Amino acid sequence: MVPLQEFAWDQYLQKKKRELKNEVWEYSSNVMCFINDLLLGDALELQKWAHKVWNMIDFKPPALYEALTMDFSTKFLSDTKHDFVFLDISIGLHPIGRLVFELYCETCPKTCKNFQVLCTGKAGFSQSGIKLHYVGSIFHRIVKNAWVQGGDIVAGKGDGGESIYGPTFEGN
């Protein structure tokens, strides 16, 4: 059994995509099980297979697997020695999940500090009165199964905003 963080999974999918000559497909579960490099299916399919092959029945509650996943992820992230921030995402008033960002502060200290402070809201407001946080901001561009773009804390269109250093700053 090999657990993968999302970025490792993305790398795996890119490799498979090259092998499949750019054939693209979607898979609805967070769990994908393979037997001898062949797709078996999700966790339920793995349980069915284990029962059929070894007469094994898994009585563990799903909450246990969720806890094991969280423990693995927490250890993996802390071992990187990087800083992390998160954004809780909602559609309208309905929370849908959390995005976690790994910051490479040793490579881009000013940019990371700006993003970190905008995520936490610790700076409050700029001298010109602009709120310096992402709370209530929107994603102004969404590409299905690809990426989202946001961060315009003024107009929500992608062409406005301000950093913790002022209207502009030389990033690094």
Side-chain angles (χ1 to χ4, degrees), residues 92-152:
L93 298 174
H94 305 286
I96 60 165
R98 175 173 281 180
L99 292 175
V100 178
F101 300 90
E102 181 176 8
L103 304 178
Y104 291 81
C105 298
E106 68 282 356
T107 305
C108 304
K110 287 178 78 176
T111 302
C112 287
K113 181 68 174 174
N114 182 63
F115 186 70
Q116 188 175 37
V117 171
L118 290 175
C119 285
T120 63
K122 288 182 179 176
F125 290 85
S126 71
Q127 290 181 346
S128 60
I130 295 173
K131 67 176 179 129
L132 293 175
H133 57 81
Y134 291 129
V135 174
S137 66
I138 64 167
F139 293 122
H140 58 271
R141 183 180 299 164
I142 300 172
V143 178
K144 184 179 179 185
N145 296 320
W147 48 273
V148 296
Q149 189 174 0
D152 180 345

